[in-house]
Amino acid sequence: MKPMGPLPPEFAGQSGPLTIAGVAATDWAADTPVFVYDAAIVAARVARFRAAFAGIDLHYAIKANPLPALLERVAPLVDGLDVASGGELELALAVKPATAISFAGPGKRDGELIGAIRAGATLNVESEGEAERALRLGDELGVAPRLAVRVNPDVELRGSGMKMGGRPSPFGVDAVRAAALVRRIVAGGADWRGFHIYAGSQALDAGAIIDTQAATLALAERLADEAGHRPPLVNLGGGFGIPYFAGDVPLDIERVGTALTAAVADSALTAAGTGYAIELGRWLVGEAGVYLTRIVDRKESQGETFLVTDGGLNHQLAASGNFGTVVRRNYPLALARDVGGTPIEAVSVVGPLCTPLDRLGDRIGLPHADPGDLIAVFLAGAYGATASPAGFLGHPPAREVVAG
Ligand SMILES: *Cc1c(COP(=O)(O)O)cnc(C)c1O
């Protein structure tokens, strides 16, 4: 048997039939496959962040999970929403005032820039060219655009799953050119909102995040000096990871919070009135989601037992190991009618797609399972439904429901 990642704390303590938000998984799964998101788990993560990061704004990066019914629940709990397309901007504007929305991402089309400028959302500009287009479009609309400068930092987030700094990048302008861009934006009549500095994603090492945040803060101070303008807001990025795989240890966010609140208190920018934000996606919503899929067939081949389910990588690409991981490892899975039950056999859980990539669990240990039983795939709240190739092979999309 190969190991699986740890169940999120809200589920790790359960035994017997799985419940989500107090309701039996079988009740959620009248139709499968289905994603169930427990809003109370998201609220608990927000509360934990608030307790650890006094005085730091919390933004939700909605690409992690843009389901409107979930956004409605999350929006009132956070200070801002970060979007990365015109489509996400529309979703965010439905639940949050434009002044609490920032729009990052390379290759923003003119129509997207116009939408953000008209609405009054902040554009995190990714290049000098994009800044010029935003200034020109703002002139044409007779609106001073709200522009922040995304900086490609000269630091990277050590140990992060996806590095976004310290190298050539399509994201942001290189730190050496950022101050000049700030001056240009201010001279061009824009409402300069500050810096956006994002150094990586999926980090579990508190020490690495603390070092990166300190370097990010120092960079923001240096750039503000160089530009001769004080940033209203420094968006320090995020990068908080969750444990997906065996051996992963949860991030000690309280340690990060203690270090960041101390560093911010010491900063000259803070004394002059700068505010700070952290933007999080997966840490807020990843553990809140469970993907439930039903076993359609059980078969043996050359000594290996396969449980074939009605959903797979078409809905939950990340669990199949094909979304940003180099080595395939097992997400936490369970037999929904017997969570924590004694594993008596090694089985591979595969989806219905006609490709060997469609494997949700590779030789994992489970209690005996038969067709009709439900398999729960945990950590399905972030980068699940919308980050998977739902159209591939023409199976129906998964349902998504918000619980709690
Ligand atoms: C994707 C993204 C995030 C969220 O990343 P998570 O790993 O889900 O926390 C935050 N900020 C930016 C700019 C992003 O592109």
Side-chain angles (χ1 to χ4, degrees):
M1 290 175 199
K2 292 193 178 176
M4 289 186 276
L7 266 59
E10 283 80 1
F11 301 102
Q14 293 191 21
S15 62
L18 173 69
T19 61
I20 306 166
V23 174
T26 44
D27 289 349
W28 292 117
D31 276 316
T32 53
V34 60
F35 287 89
V36 186
Y37 309 120
D38 183 348
I41 295 180
V42 182
R45 297 296 177 274
V46 172
R48 192 169 157 206
F49 179 94
R50 297 292 190 198
F53 291 83
I56 312 275
D57 281 359
L58 174 60
H59 291 191
Y60 174 47
I62 82 168
K63 78 171 186 289
N65 190 330
L67 185 72
L70 185 68
L71 281 183
E72 271 172 31
R73 306 296 297 272
V74 179
L77 306 177
V78 298
D79 305 296
L81 297 177
D82 292 324
V83 304
S85 71
E88 287 192 353
L89 176 64
E90 291 303 312
L91 294 174
L93 284 169
V95 291
K96 205 81 179 159
T99 49
I101 298 172
S102 53
F103 181 174
K108 298 181 196 76
R109 292 179 289 273
D110 283 1
E112 294 177 301
L113 296 175
I114 290 168
I117 295 168
R118 273 221 179 100
T122 295
L123 287 162
N124 293 332
V125 298
E126 306 274 352
S127 72
E128 287 88 350
E130 188 174 273
E132 291 304 328
R133 279 194 293 135
L135 288 171
R136 175 174 53 76
L137 293 166
D139 272 349
E140 286 169 18
L141 294 167
V143 180
R146 291 163 64 89
L147 303 183
V149 170
R150 181 160 179 188
V151 182
N152 174 29
D154 24 33
V155 293
E156 70 176 16
L157 177 50
R158 258 190 302 120
S160 69
M162 217 177 274
K163 295 186 172 53
M164 312 278 278
R167 56 182 66 199
S169 173
F171 310 111
V173 298
D174 291 349
V176 292
R177 303 203 308 267
L181 183 55
V182 171
R183 286 196 296 266
R184 165 67 189 127
I185 280 173
V186 173
D191 180 3
W192 181 52
R193 302 307 307 156
F195 292 115
H196 177 217
I197 309 177
Y198 181 77
S201 188
Q202 180 50 24
L204 295 173
D205 176 351
I209 294 182
I210 289 168
D211 291 350
T212 302
Q213 289 181 338
T216 303
L217 193 56
L219 176 61
E221 289 167 347
R222 199 183 81 216
L223 294 178
D225 274 352
E226 233 181 279
H229 297 284
R230 183 189 58 76
L233 182 76
V234 176
N235 181 332
L236 295 156
F240 296 11
I242 53 176
Y244 285 101
F245 306 117
D248 283 357
V249 174
L251 173 65
D252 183 351
I253 74 145
E254 285 72 21
R255 215 183 117 202
V256 177
T258 302
L260 182 61
T261 45
V264 155
D266 282 348
S267 170
L269 291 178
T270 313
T274 292
Y276 302 88
I278 298 275
E279 56 183 7
L280 299 177
R282 76 184 74 227
W283 190 85
L284 289 176
V285 297
E287 295 179 316
V290 182
Y291 175 67
L292 297 169
T293 179
R294 198 173 298 282
I295 300 172
V296 176
D297 195 11
R298 177 187 167 108
K299 59 177 283 187
E300 314 284 327
S301 172
Q302 303 206 359
E304 189 168 334
T305 300
F306 291 91
L307 304 176
V308 188
T309 52
D310 62 2
L313 73 74
N314 51 327
H315 304 146
Q316 224 342 22
L317 182 67
S320 75
N322 294 294
F323 187 71
T325 42
V326 180
V327 180
R328 195 206 172 286
R329 285 171 294 171
N330 287 316
Y331 268 44
L333 270 62
L335 177 62
R337 66 170 161 71
D338 193 7
V339 186
T342 312
I344 60 145
E345 58 179 3
V347 295
S348 288
V349 179
V350 298
L353 272 57
C354 210
T355 159
L357 299 178
D358 195 8
R359 189 173 283 244
L360 297 173
D362 185 36
R363 283 162 279 170
I364 58 173
L366 286 186
H368 182 90
D370 283 309
D373 282 332
L374 288 173
I375 295 288
V377 182
F378 296 92
L379 307 175
Y383 306 109
T386 60
S388 303
F392 187 37
L393 274 126
H395 293 280
R399 291 191 303 128
E400 296 181 87
V401 295
V402 178

